[in-house]
Amino acid sequence: MYSSEFSEENDRADAAAITLTDEKGRSLECYVEHSLSVDGQEYVLLLPVDSPIEIFAWQGDGEEEEAILVEDDDLIDEIFSTAQAVLSEQNLTIKNTAYALTVLGELPPVEESEIFTLEIEDEGTDLEPEQLQLLASFYHQDQEYAVYTPLDPLLFFARITKSGKPELLSPEEFRKVQPLLEEHLFDQVE
């Protein structure tokens, strides 16, 4: 049985910030949304300070058009300056941060006509569709790209190591602690 204790940070001005670092040395500044202690191990639920974005390449025509998530670091590096140019028209600055691309600046208001619903297909798993807001689109070498931000927050779950640094949980570790987190969040909603 787990002994657990949660604390929550509500005020962003006073919220603790933690920096995640990936294997390439890139960093991602995050607010601590919740913390949880399980058997003496501290876990934190983190929300990026800047808004996460995803870049998609549009392929096909008409009804057969399909959005393909751009995940290749070399391609991201290649289109980065063009994406920055179109986002700067909205006073947004793109950042190649750890675990996700992000933008600094105030996002435009959500308009129904700019929402894209991404159906996620994963064998054996019933995943909810993800809704994304279009921020900008552009062409690079005759390929159409679109920059979207998720409407739902992007959250990371990490453990705090003995040295005080956050470390993202493996899927197995997350499954172990997930019921406690869900129980706490459910109790807050009631």
Side-chain angles (χ1 to χ4, degrees), residues 16-121:
I18 286 183
T19 302
L20 290 174
T21 305
D22 67 8
E23 65 279 350
K24 293 182 179 181
R26 297 177 297 194
S27 61
L28 178 65
E29 193 75 19
C30 296
Y31 294 116
V32 177
E33 287 293 299
H34 300 281
S35 65
L36 161 68
S37 180
V38 177
D39 296 334
Q41 174 64 60
E42 184 181 1
Y43 297 94
V44 288
L45 182 64
L46 304 171
L47 176 71
V49 170
D50 297 323
S51 302
I53 61 166
E54 296 175 353
I55 300 176
F56 290 88
W58 285 100
Q59 297 184 347
D61 293 315
E63 294 291 320
E64 299 298 316
E65 195 170 44
E66 183 179 12
I68 308 296
L69 181 63
V70 176
E71 297 179 285
D72 179 57
D73 286 337
D74 292 335
L75 181 54
I76 289 171
D77 290 343
E78 186 179 320
I79 64 176
F80 194 85
S81 62
T82 306
Q84 176 55 54
V86 297
L87 289 170
S88 68
E89 293 173 7
Q90 297 180 49
N91 296 319
L92 297 171
T93 303
I94 189 171
K95 297 163 76 175
N96 195 350
T97 52
Y99 307 110
L101 292 171
T102 58
V103 290
L104 173 65
E106 187 174 332
L107 295 176
V110 177
E111 293 183 31
E112 286 296 318
S113 63
E114 300 295 318
I115 294 177
F116 168 63
T117 302
L118 179 63
E119 300 289 334
I120 303 169
E121 296 176 16

